Amino acid sequence: MYILNPLTLIPTIFSYNSIAENDYAVWNSATAYTAGQKVIRTTTHKIYTRSISGTTATPPENDTTNWLDSGYVNAYKMIDDLSSSQSSAANGIVFTANLNQRISSLAFINLVGTSLTITATNAGAEQIYNKTISLDASSVSSIYDWFFEPFTQKTDHFEVDFPQTYLNPYITITILNESGNAAIGRFICAKSYEIGTMQYGSSVGIKDYSIKTTDSNNISYLTKKDNVKLMSFKLVLNQSETNRVIKLLRQLLSVPCVFIGVSDDGYEYTIAHGFYQSFKIPLQTPSVNYCELEIEELI
């Protein structure tokens, strides 16, 4: 099993982003805005919502009385804390991140598209990484499936083989979609840690936040809300690794991470961007420890 501890990414690391920042009009100090009106600031790459009607000369990011920070513009929603808010564009997205620090892994959460290409150079010089991944997760077992089975989207992908010897990788990501919008919920650059081997008896489930209401006539209505993945992993750890893993997990308490139960193809359902709720080690044998790790996905 892997845990990916993400770097904090900010818009200034991107040397190129193909998504235009045109969600709303750019803020103008001379314009009178009405309550609820939205603007963007290209300096912060964020959207701001007017709280009180009027005109103010103070930029929205410095005026919390009149403006509400409504998060990143479309181009940079991929680096906010939410997997459900996506950066999207018609047909394809291309962006380059200049990290100026070592990483060992990449993760892509809530993808929409048909292919993902990752290339990287050593500070713009020689190429150090190049991989193209199909995002088609369709299962074809017959001629009928080949012609009529609908496209099944692979929504999450990770790589734990990125060469971490390079201090300043420039990473270019291309997400293509042959029809419709390409999108990404979270772009994650991280250091990866192995914390044991997942065992049979682990489980993956879903927690639904939909709300059921019943009116005075006893008629029930269901208001659909988001759902999250719940994972309960049973892991085996060598005794010699246990101290390291406990120390790591204490450092990652309440830190959103990427959890990967099984790294083989076909086990993408064991990937979640979220946090761990509990970790327990029943001490049963002198040589290995059997651990229990409970994880909840972040929406």
Side-chain angles (χ1 to χ4, degrees):
M1 177 180 176
Y2 289 94
I3 295 181
L4 276 54
N5 184 14
L7 305 180
T8 299
L9 302 182
I10 57 176
T12 53
I13 71 162
F14 292 88
S15 58
Y16 177 75
N17 192 328
S18 65
I19 304 175
E21 292 188 53
N22 57 5
D23 306 45
Y24 301 97
V26 175
W27 173 77
N28 188 319
S29 61
T31 301
Y33 293 101
T34 58
Q37 195 166 355
K38 297 180 185 294
V39 298
I40 64 171
R41 287 279 286 160
T42 55
T43 50
T44 61
H45 307 283
K46 286 191 170 184
I47 300 167
Y48 298 90
T49 303
R50 185 76 184 188
S51 303
I52 303 168
S53 297
T55 304
T56 50
T58 305
E61 63 269 28
N62 299 324
D63 184 3
T64 56
T65 300
N66 294 294
W67 293 96
L68 175 67
D69 184 339
S70 298
Y72 281 118
V73 296
N74 176 39
Y76 295 102
K77 289 185 183 297
M78 70 181 89
I79 60 170
D80 65 16
D81 292 330
L82 304 175
S83 300
S84 56
S85 65
Q86 295 172 302
S87 295
S88 64
N91 301 320
I93 298 170
V94 182
F95 58 88
T96 299
N98 301 345
L99 295 185
N100 197 30
Q101 55 187 302
R102 292 185 176 92
I103 63 166
S104 61
S105 54
L106 297 164
F108 308 85
I109 307 296
N110 199 9
L111 288 162
V112 176
T114 52
S115 69
L116 166 70
T117 299
I118 309 164
T119 59
T121 64
N122 180 21
E126 76 273 18
Q127 188 175 92
I128 59 174
Y129 199 86
N130 190 337
K131 188 176 289 188
T132 297
I133 302 98
S134 171
L135 299 179
D136 184 357
S138 304
S139 176
V140 177
S141 58
S142 68
I143 294 177
Y144 179 89
D145 290 344
W146 176 264
F147 286 102
F148 301 108
E149 180 70 17
F151 173 82
T152 301
Q153 179 70 62
K154 180 180 182 180
T155 58
D156 302 325
H157 183 76
F158 67 92
E159 297 290 344
V160 291
D161 62 348
F162 194 87
Q164 58 182 320
T165 53
Y166 296 95
L167 179 61
N168 190 10
Y170 290 7
I171 304 170
T172 297
I173 306 300
T174 303
I175 305 165
L176 298 179
N177 195 350
E178 295 174 359
S179 60
N181 281 4
I184 176 172
R186 286 280 281 147
F187 168 57
I188 292 170
C189 302
K191 184 173 181 181
S192 60
Y193 302 89
E194 279 196 81
I195 62 162
T197 304
M198 193 174 85
Q199 303 295 294
Y200 286 110
S202 300
S203 64
V204 179
I206 296 171
K207 181 178 181 180
D208 188 12
Y209 287 97
S210 297
I211 300 172
K212 175 190 173 184
T213 55
T214 304
D215 65 17
S216 58
N217 296 317
N218 293 323
I219 298 175
S220 296
Y221 302 90
L222 189 65
T223 303
K224 185 174 176 57
K225 300 289 186 179
D226 284 319
N227 61 80
V228 297
K229 195 184 300 181
L230 300 178
M231 302 194 296
S232 178
F233 289 147
K234 297 183 183 298
L235 307 171
V236 61
L237 270 176
N238 289 327
Q239 174 62 34
S240 60
E241 289 290 294
T242 303
N243 282 330
R244 175 186 67 83
V245 171
I246 291 175
K247 182 178 179 180
L248 171 66
L249 289 173
R250 293 190 71 176
Q251 292 173 346
L252 297 180
L253 268 171
S254 302
V255 176
C257 296
V258 178
F259 297 87
I260 302 164
V262 180
S263 58
D264 297 339
D265 286 341
Y267 288 89
E268 287 79 18
Y269 56 84
T270 68
I271 302 172
H273 172 246
F275 62 98
Y276 80 89
Q277 296 178 313
S278 67
F279 175 66
K280 184 168 60 175
I281 303 179
L283 301 178
Q284 296 173 320
T285 73
S287 57
V288 296
N289 289 314
Y290 295 92
C291 316
E292 300 171 12
L293 186 64
E294 306 285 337
I295 297 160
E296 181 171 334
E297 186 179 41
L298 286 171
I299 297 175

